[in-house]
Amino acid sequence: MKKLLCAAGLGLALAVSAGAQAADKIAVVNVSSIFQQLPQRATVAKQLENEFKGRATELQTQERDLQTKMQRLQRDGSTMKASERSRMEKDVMSQREAFSSKAQAFEQDNRRRQMEERNKLLSRIQDAVKKVANDEGYDVVIDANAVAYAANAKDITADVLKQVK
């Protein structure tokens, strides 16, 4: 009796899950394609470029100055007094360290801001995917880049792109 109830329960669970799987409406969306086609992406890129332009220019100036000093030291170092050469070497080393730390901070800040803006755009895309999925009655939406094969899945990329624009 116990085995019969267990078998009946297992059969019922399998039937329900198979029925639920058959009822799922599945769609695919190419998020990276939508991201590449967003007009806001160019606007954000320009905004970030303007935001970091001053620091980039300052770093380029500092780098040119450092290269000039290094070339002068290399060219004239053998004819300089030892104390003068030593002072210039220390100056070049300290300037190189300062440049390196500023460049590293610049790269980190730039990367962080790009990720913030990228995540904002991806959030808008995600909201559009949810809206299109709800409007069209899809139960599951999968990124097209994560799917090896999908025979019966509808591609909603164009619909989502319209929604985001």
Side-chain angles (χ1 to χ4, degrees):
M1 181 74 170
K2 199 174 195 181
K3 288 183 182 179
L4 182 63
L5 284 174
C6 187
L10 183 61
L12 182 62
L14 287 174
V16 168
S17 70
Q21 286 178 343
D24 288 345
K25 281 184 68 178
I26 300 174
V28 294
V29 64
N30 192 334
V31 174
S32 62
S33 173
I34 293 170
F35 185 79
Q36 294 298 323
Q37 295 178 42
L38 278 179
Q40 295 94 328
R41 209 184 78 169
T43 306
V44 167
K46 199 67 155 168
Q47 175 187 351
L48 288 174
E49 183 181 321
N50 290 336
E51 184 177 325
F52 287 97
K53 186 184 284 186
R55 285 176 66 187
T57 303
E58 179 185 332
L59 279 172
Q60 289 170 346
T61 303
Q62 191 175 4
E63 183 180 29
R64 278 193 302 271
D65 184 42
L66 180 61
Q67 286 176 347
T68 302
K69 284 184 179 180
M70 288 172 66
Q71 288 171 352
R72 180 172 172 244
L73 180 63
Q74 198 172 34
R75 183 184 65 229
D76 300 338
S78 59
T79 61
M80 290 179 170
K81 292 181 187 174
S83 62
E84 187 180 348
R85 184 176 66 238
S86 176
R87 184 183 50 77
M88 192 166 192
E89 285 173 348
K90 286 179 185 177
D91 185 40
V92 165
M93 290 297 283
S94 67
Q95 193 172 353
R96 182 186 294 165
E97 288 174 15
F99 171 77
S100 187
S101 66
K102 276 186 178 181
Q104 188 176 18
F106 173 80
E107 286 297 321
Q108 288 175 350
D109 290 347
N110 192 2
R111 200 173 316 116
R112 180 186 51 79
R113 283 289 293 133
Q114 285 182 2
M115 288 300 292
E116 286 174 4
E117 294 301 326
R118 178 181 172 269
N119 289 340
K120 285 179 189 176
L121 291 175
L122 288 175
S123 177
R124 289 188 62 198
I125 292 170
Q126 185 66 32
D127 292 342
V129 167
K130 287 178 185 174
K131 181 167 180 9
V132 170
N134 286 334
D135 291 350
E136 296 185 17
Y138 289 106
D139 299 315
V140 178
V141 178
I142 303 171
D143 189 352
N145 294 324
V147 176
Y149 175 76
N152 296 329
K154 180 176 184 316
D155 188 348
I156 60 170
T157 302
D159 298 334
V160 172
L161 185 60
K162 287 177 192 171
Q163 185 71 34
V164 174
K165 287 184 178 181

